[in-house]
Amino acid sequence: MIDSVTAIEFTDNYEDLSDENGFRFRFYCERCDADYVSDMEPCPHREESEFLKVVGRIFADVAEKKGDLTSDEEGIQHDVALKNAITEVRDHFHECPGCGEWVCDVCWNRAMLLCEKCAPSGEEQHGGW
């Protein structure tokens, strides 16, 4: 689903919540599973896209193909929305200079500028580290 151009440096764990109304993504902290959801990004030109789908189906039927001519356009829109979502939630994740792991706001010790594993503040209640 995600290519090397759209690599997410701060997590490998995300969920696509996109639907017919637009694009939205949920990103999880790999340490504590806290989640950060991007804002809904509406599908651009939804009405035009629906029109293109109908026209595409007509051309596909004429050419005896079962494809949708707008699938490439939708894929591009999805990739752009994912890149925008990554940029939007990126500020909630921090790379610890102590251990090199990426952690979320919950796992980040702001006072020490290290993760809670490297510099426990005593405020967080995580188990299993």
Side-chain angles (χ1 to χ4, degrees):
M1 180 169 12
I2 192 165
D3 59 21
S4 60
V5 176
T6 316
I8 304 172
E9 64 184 337
F10 54 84
T11 187
D12 291 329
N13 191 5
Y14 77 100
E15 183 179 3
D16 188 343
L17 305 174
S18 304
D19 60 23
E20 64 277 353
N21 296 317
F23 304 104
R24 177 177 277 172
F25 302 88
R26 176 176 288 143
F27 300 88
Y28 295 93
C29 175
E30 293 183 355
R31 185 171 286 174
C32 73
D33 284 333
D35 65 311
Y36 297 86
V37 179
S38 65
D39 293 333
M40 177 67 78
E41 185 171 322
C43 294
H45 312 295
R46 189 170 183 323
E47 298 80 19
E48 293 170 12
S49 181
E50 291 300 318
F51 173 74
L52 290 174
K53 283 182 182 181
V54 171
V55 171
R57 286 187 192 110
I58 292 169
F59 282 118
D61 289 343
V62 170
E64 296 183 12
K65 293 181 182 177
K66 298 289 185 197
D68 181 1
L69 297 180
T70 62
S71 62
D72 287 341
E73 178 185 330
E74 289 172 3
I76 292 169
Q77 291 173 355
H78 181 273
D79 290 348
V80 168
L82 177 56
K83 288 177 186 178
N84 292 342
I86 291 168
T87 300
E88 178 186 336
V89 302
R90 168 69 177 75
D91 289 342
H92 293 288
F93 292 87
H94 315 274
E95 185 176 19
C96 179
C99 64
E101 290 184 29
W102 284 89
V103 298
C104 72
D105 290 337
V106 174
C107 300
W108 186 244
N109 182 330
R110 292 182 197 281
M112 298 298 293
L113 298 178
L114 294 166
C115 73
E116 285 286 332
K117 183 177 178 181
C118 292
S121 66
E123 297 173 15
E124 304 308 321
Q125 308 239 338
H126 296 287
W129 292 349

